[in-house]
Amino acid sequence: MPRLRKILFYLVVLVSFFLVRRSFVNDSGKEQFPVVVIGSGLAGLSAVNQLLNDDVPAVLLDKASSFGGNSVKAASGISGAGTSVQKKHHVEDSPELFLQDTLSSAKGRGVEKLMKVMADESAGAIAWLQERFGLKLDLLSQLGGQSVPRTHRSDGPLPPGAELVKALTRRIKNVSRDYPDKVKIQLDAKVTDIKINKETNRVEYVVYRDASNQEQVLRTGNVLVATGGFSYSQDMLKKYAPQVAGLPTTNCLLTTGDGLNILQSLGAHLVDMDQIQIHPTGFVDPKDRKNNWKFLAAEALRGLGGILVNPSTGKRFVNELETRDTVTESIRKACKKSEGVSLLVISENTFQDYKSSVEFYISKGLVQKMPISSLVSEYNLPISATEIASDLIEYSTEKKDKFDRVHKINTFGDAVTADTEVYVAEITPVVHFTMGGVKIDEFSQVLNESDSPVADGLYAAGEITYGVHGSNRLGGSSLLECVVFGRIAAQHISRNF
């Protein structure tokens, strides 16, 4: 039987080889095997679009039936330092300051060289999205751990991640329709293996199962694995980070670490797999409190003015713009009586500044608008509405409060009363992001334990990789990482194609 399976495998290879040869021929008649990009989140989409810019043929595979992965869920924006938008808003920023913020948040972990690449390329990534895809990205937020406002978003109805995915996907679909020799799209395609030629040490085949569960083989010389992290896989969480297994998550059910397992089997070095980011604010749905999957309460809600209140005291307890790990730990300590649930409270000004997103949260029953008096009665707070109003005035009028929060916009004002209406949600910490993964170099090549490329033509980008965030990711850096390293991988492939 093993011999028969081997014979069948090579028959599939030969058929697939013939099909690929017919499909990808350049203008001079030279055969070109397409670059295979695995994963249709922002890293994969950025890579394919860069390959199109460089006139390099590609095949995009994803096990899902739609594009976007977890990237569509990103709601705060994409960071960039020294951008034209920052200059327009008179924000003084630089890649050096961005790097220092990233290093501070990383707490001694990660790879400074990769962090520097991300910071140095950040303004160019924003400009590429604006100029190549017509995205505005003209609004700024200052998120936790950032020295200045540097997270960009647009004012349209879509969250930033969904906006980026839609724009980059649209171009790929249009090119695939009009020029099928340039790019092919294969959804419902679960990759099971990547074959490396032992003699040349170069990637040679990608094996996947299609929607009919039939095994397919693609001949190629270059593969980019951009399949994301493993935050939905309880098996992998129990293996690498048992301390967070069982916590609620914001990740889609396909975030199961498939690409990590394949790359590890090829010799990739996995680092810091226990470094899991717990995001401090996932919405608790009042209608379904025990659901283990939760909508993310975007960090922009706090960056644009929101505060956190302890239900047991009715008081603030933390600088809401500390790094995510610090805010999470504060919630766990301060809100033990409420089982790790705190209240997110935002003003009418914050609502107006982030209107489309908050309206979406309201439509899902996750955010409610109410006067402060109702806030007290509905959540049985142990202080009066007048006391809360006084606290909100104090927060709004002090330049630096007792928790050292100095970045204050969209405050509650200096005329707050028990009748003032606010927007309220219940939130709790959630598993959000995996900082560990496969080690890569500055060209996104996958490395082994000796820091040498595992094979020629083998790349990785996005959440599947290690090194860019250390022990704690800053908000706005996940989308940025995807664009920067997805493009870098594609550019390196193009130069050697």
Side-chain angles (χ1 to χ4, degrees):
M1 285 301 292
R3 180 180 177 84
L4 178 60
R5 282 197 297 268
K6 191 172 184 179
I7 292 172
L8 289 173
F9 172 78
Y10 281 107
L11 283 174
V12 172
V13 169
L14 287 171
V15 173
S16 300
F17 175 70
F18 175 72
L19 292 174
V20 171
R21 288 182 61 186
R22 294 185 59 191
S23 299
F24 289 93
V25 179
N26 68 12
D27 294 338
S28 65
K30 181 182 177 182
E31 295 169 357
Q32 290 181 312
F33 298 119
V35 178
V36 176
V37 176
I38 307 171
S40 69
L42 190 58
L45 296 175
S46 297
V48 173
N49 274 284
Q50 184 63 49
L51 291 169
L52 291 176
N53 289 351
D54 299 337
D55 199 28
V56 173
V59 176
L60 178 60
L61 303 177
D62 199 303
K63 68 178 180 180
S65 57
S66 59
F67 289 88
N70 273 327
S71 296
V72 297
K73 300 175 182 294
S76 290
I78 178 170
S79 293
T83 67
S84 60
V85 174
Q86 287 180 312
K87 293 172 184 175
K88 180 180 178 181
H89 289 278
H90 308 291
V91 174
E92 294 186 11
D93 197 8
S94 68
E96 292 75 22
L97 183 58
F98 190 179
L99 175 59
Q100 289 307 310
D101 287 345
T102 303
L103 286 168
S104 177
S105 180
K107 295 179 173 58
R109 292 183 181 269
V111 180
E112 182 173 347
K113 180 168 59 176
L114 297 180
M115 298 174 191
K116 186 177 187 302
V117 169
M118 181 179 71
D120 288 347
E121 298 296 324
S122 63
I126 300 294
W128 183 67
L129 293 168
Q130 292 171 322
E131 295 164 8
R132 187 66 186 83
F133 302 96
L135 300 172
K136 291 196 292 184
L137 299 175
D138 54 346
L139 301 178
L140 294 172
S141 300
Q142 182 172 340
L143 305 183
Q146 295 179 349
S147 296
V148 296
R150 69 165 64 100
T151 301
H152 297 61
R153 71 186 195 284
S154 304
D155 62 355
L158 291 177
E163 180 190 30
L164 268 59
V165 166
K166 181 179 180 181
L168 272 64
T169 298
R170 180 167 56 238
R171 183 191 178 210
I172 294 171
K173 286 182 175 179
N174 288 342
V175 174
S176 180
R177 180 194 64 220
D178 298 336
Y179 304 98
D181 284 354
K182 299 294 184 185
V183 60
K184 294 184 182 297
I185 301 167
Q186 185 69 59
L187 300 178
D188 296 306
K190 181 177 174 59
V191 174
T192 58
D193 202 3
I194 298 170
K195 299 291 185 180
I196 297 172
N197 187 310
K198 293 183 179 179
E199 294 182 1
T200 63
N201 196 39
R202 186 168 194 95
V203 170
E204 196 167 23
Y205 303 107
V206 171
V207 184
Y208 71 93
R209 290 195 172 276
D210 61 21
S212 302
N213 201 35
Q214 297 298 306
E215 189 170 84
Q216 305 291 341
V217 179
L218 277 175
R219 180 74 185 272
T220 183
N222 297 278
V223 174
L224 171 65
V225 184
T227 52
F230 59 93
S231 293
Y232 198 85
S233 170
Q234 285 299 310
D235 288 340
M236 291 188 74
L237 288 176
K238 289 174 183 176
K239 177 180 179 180
Y240 292 111
Q243 72 277 9
V244 305
L247 290 178
T249 181
T250 61
N251 284 256
C252 69
L253 55 82
L254 298 178
T255 313
T256 52
D258 301 358
L260 283 162
N261 291 327
I262 291 173
L263 290 177
Q264 185 180 33
S265 72
L266 298 176
H269 185 28
L270 271 56
V271 187
D272 278 357
M273 294 292 283
D274 62 336
Q275 296 299 300
I276 312 294
Q277 181 164 78
I278 307 300
H279 196 291
T281 56
F283 284 115
V284 176
D285 187 345
K287 303 182 296 297
D288 192 9
R289 293 181 179 278
K290 298 299 183 181
N291 194 323
N292 205 51
W293 183 86
K294 300 194 183 298
F295 274 104
L296 180 68
E299 190 166 347
L301 288 164
R302 288 173 283 129
L304 294 173
I307 62 170
L308 295 176
V309 172
N310 186 343
S312 300
T313 64
K315 299 278 190 178
R316 286 179 64 225
F317 56 93
V318 67
N319 175 356
E320 293 85 0
L321 294 187
E322 285 284 0
T323 55
R324 291 176 173 177
D325 55 343
T326 298
V327 177
T328 293
E329 188 59 27
S330 296
I331 292 172
R332 285 174 162 173
K333 286 182 177 179
C335 303
K336 285 183 178 179
K337 290 184 179 180
S338 54
E339 298 182 330
V341 173
S342 63
L343 301 177
L344 173 68
V345 182
I346 67 173
S347 67
E348 179 66 30
N349 291 329
T350 300
F351 167 75
Q352 293 297 334
D353 201 358
Y354 203 45
K355 189 173 183 178
S356 59
S357 293
V358 179
E359 286 181 334
F360 171 77
Y361 300 144
I362 291 173
S363 73
K364 294 293 183 181
L366 303 171
V367 174
Q368 300 180 67
K369 184 179 183 180
M370 63 183 69
I372 292 174
S373 56
S374 296
L375 168 64
V376 171
S377 59
E378 182 154 337
Y379 293 99
N380 195 28
L381 301 184
I383 63 175
S384 69
T386 302
E387 288 178 281
I388 292 179
S390 178
D391 286 347
L392 294 182
I393 292 173
E394 181 180 350
Y395 162 78
S396 300
T397 55
E398 287 185 345
K399 289 185 178 180
K400 181 177 180 179
D401 60 34
K402 58 187 176 183
F403 300 108
D404 293 330
R405 177 166 177 169
V406 294
H407 180 68
K408 298 180 181 181
I409 60 175
N410 300 319
T411 60
F412 298 86
D414 58 3
V416 185
T417 70
D419 296 325
T420 298
E421 292 191 312
V422 293
Y423 297 80
V424 185
E426 296 179 63
I427 62 91
T428 193
V430 285
V431 173
H432 182 56
F433 193 87
T434 51
M435 275 84 66
V438 298
K439 194 169 188 179
I440 59 170
D441 63 13
E442 64 271 29
F443 304 112
S444 279
Q445 295 181 111
V446 178
L447 303 179
N448 59 25
E449 289 190 5
S450 300
D451 285 346
S452 299
V454 169
D456 290 339
L458 186 61
Y459 300 81
E463 191 179 353
I464 192 173
T465 65
Y466 145 84
V468 183
H469 310 295
S471 65
N472 184 70
R473 179 174 67 77
L474 292 174
S477 288
S478 59
L479 293 180
L480 175 63
E481 171 191 21
C482 289
V483 175
V484 168
F485 288 97
R487 291 185 70 205
I488 282 175
Q491 289 165 342
H492 194 256
I493 291 169
S494 299
R495 285 195 294 269
N496 297 282
F497 193 70

